[in-house]
Amino acid sequence: ILDETIDNIRSITRDLMPTNLERFGLLAAVEDLCKRINDTGELNMSFQYNQKKRIDEQKEFALYRIVQELVNNTLKYAKADEVQIQLTFNEGILKLSYVDNGRGFELEKWRKDTTLQNGLGLRGIETRASVLGADVQLNSAPEKGFQLALNVAI
């Protein structure tokens, strides 16, 4: 039991501030996250990027948290078996694209839900994006999966 508890604490600590994120940046941290998820066999994750580039540490941290929340939502709710993540650097803009092939949901119904009982993760993503000054677009429909496109100046 003690060994399992120690392993859990290490995992939580690594997830809160992954060493790869701190040392090597966003790309390495997302690659590691994808590898760890792929190793579980629960989800097939692909990650592509057009260049290796470090950006502001606070932006990297916020973007990693957004990716982490997206993956968490996919694992918890989407019943997806594939996720595609892309990070594209182009003329001072970083574009994050996240697509899963899960069951999706009614986006307009979610937006109108004022009880805030559902979708706190997505609302947190929108808040993080706003703090970054990023433009974020969500797209989903029942049985059509989920997509996020985020653009942020770097």
Side-chain angles (χ1 to χ4, degrees):
I1 293 174
L2 182 59
D3 287 341
E4 186 176 326
T5 302
I6 290 169
D7 287 343
N8 287 338
I9 290 170
R10 284 185 181 141
S11 178
I12 290 167
T13 303
R14 182 177 60 235
D15 287 343
L16 287 175
M17 186 54 168
T19 305
N20 280 345
L21 179 60
E22 193 172 25
R23 288 186 184 162
F24 306 112
L26 180 62
L27 299 177
V30 173
E31 279 182 326
D32 184 57
L33 176 65
C34 291
K35 181 187 179 317
R36 287 189 292 130
I37 298 297
N38 282 336
D39 287 350
T40 69
E42 285 187 62
L43 198 55
N44 179 26
M45 296 186 66
S46 69
F47 176 49
Q48 299 173 345
Y49 51 89
N50 66 336
Q51 61 180 289
K52 286 196 175 221
K53 185 174 187 174
R54 292 291 307 255
I55 61 173
D56 175 76
E57 188 177 293
Q58 290 179 331
K59 286 184 179 180
E60 283 188 334
F61 184 77
L63 289 165
Y64 181 77
R65 286 285 177 245
I66 288 170
V67 170
Q68 205 174 32
E69 185 62 40
L70 289 166
V71 171
N72 184 53
N73 286 349
T74 297
L75 289 169
K76 260 175 119 170
Y77 305 113
K79 302 204 184 317
D81 58 10
E82 288 189 17
V83 168
Q84 297 173 349
I85 302 172
Q86 289 184 328
L87 284 171
T88 308
F89 298 90
N90 191 15
E91 297 181 14
I93 300 290
L94 171 63
K95 179 178 181 177
L96 166 65
S97 172
Y98 183 96
V99 178
D100 76 32
N101 69 344
R103 62 184 185 169
F105 59 95
E106 291 183 40
L107 190 59
E108 289 308 311
K109 184 177 177 183
W110 170 79
R111 288 202 186 284
K112 292 177 183 175
D113 182 2
T114 58
T115 65
L116 296 179
Q117 291 180 12
N118 295 320
L120 285 175
L122 287 178
R123 286 179 187 15
I125 288 168
E126 288 184 322
T127 300
R128 285 185 195 275
S130 175
V131 168
L132 286 171
D135 171 51
V136 66
Q137 296 173 347
L138 307 177
N139 189 10
S140 187
E143 307 309 318
K144 302 282 185 185
F146 173 81
Q147 299 172 358
L148 171 137
L150 182 147
N151 296 310
V152 63
I154 50 171

